[in-house]
Amino acid sequence: MSCTLTSEISTVIPAPRLFKAAILDGYNLNPKIAADKIVSAVIIEGDGGVGTVRQYNFSPAMPFSYEQRRLEFQDVDKCEVKLSVVGGGGLGVFFESASHHIKFSASDTGSLAKMVLTYTPTPGANSAQYENMMKGAFQGVIKGCEVFLLANPDAYN
């Protein structure tokens, strides 16, 4: 049985600028804005394009030491990506498979960041706990990027 979680967050940052910071350069920026959670992010396979696998290494404050995600789809003009979890993290603990569809769209006040998480839970897993972790992580990264971009108006233009 597949489950879906949708999380949306509004921000005052225009969609293309937020997409560049949070997604295209997220592996560099996220460890700076969320150093208490993300220690580093490295490419372990690929050249940065579709098919690339990145490993996010987490601090001891997180329940897992790392998570590996493969970039399945990217449309820079539409500010949209799809990622699949391929290693570490909650794989085998909370879920058997998981994918994230993330899209940034324009709004009257800036942009709307939307994540749709689709996953197959591991039998007996606490789905609510996993969904709360993922929603919190997504919102934390987006709000962290917003704070960074407001403080650095020339970054990611």
Side-chain angles (χ1 to χ4, degrees):
M1 178 174 91
S2 182
C3 297
T4 302
L5 165 74
T6 300
S7 181
E8 296 181 340
I9 187 165
S10 294
T11 172
V12 298
I13 306 298
R17 186 169 178 229
L18 186 59
F19 180 77
K20 286 177 194 173
I23 302 299
L24 298 182
D25 197 44
Y27 63 97
N28 285 319
L29 184 59
N30 293 343
K32 295 174 186 168
I33 63 170
D36 60 323
K37 295 177 182 69
I38 304 171
V39 174
S40 64
V42 294
I43 291 176
I44 59 171
E45 181 181 310
D47 61 4
V50 172
T52 294
V53 176
R54 285 198 172 93
Q55 179 168 307
Y56 293 83
N57 299 304
F58 302 126
S59 76
M62 299 299 288
F64 309 108
S65 61
Y66 74 94
E67 183 172 88
Q68 296 171 344
R69 295 178 182 174
R70 179 184 310 114
L71 179 62
E72 304 289 355
F73 170 82
Q74 178 174 283
D75 187 326
V76 175
D77 294 331
K78 292 183 180 178
C79 300
E80 182 176 7
V81 294
K82 292 181 184 175
L83 307 157
S84 294
V85 177
V86 295
L91 189 60
V93 177
F94 287 107
F95 57 86
E96 295 174 356
S97 64
S99 64
H100 302 81
H101 179 194
I102 302 169
K103 183 167 178 56
F104 299 82
S105 56
S107 72
D108 292 341
T109 59
S111 64
L112 179 69
K114 179 178 180 180
M115 173 189 70
V116 177
L117 167 66
T118 305
Y119 68 100
T120 302
T122 300
N126 185 340
S127 294
Q129 181 184 5
Y130 176 63
E131 288 183 6
N132 287 336
M133 282 191 315
M134 295 313 303
K135 184 176 181 178
F138 177 67
Q139 291 181 351
V141 165
I142 298 304
K143 282 300 180 184
C145 285
E146 180 181 47
V147 168
F148 176 85
L149 293 170
L150 287 171
N152 298 277
D154 294 328
Y156 299 102
N157 284 314

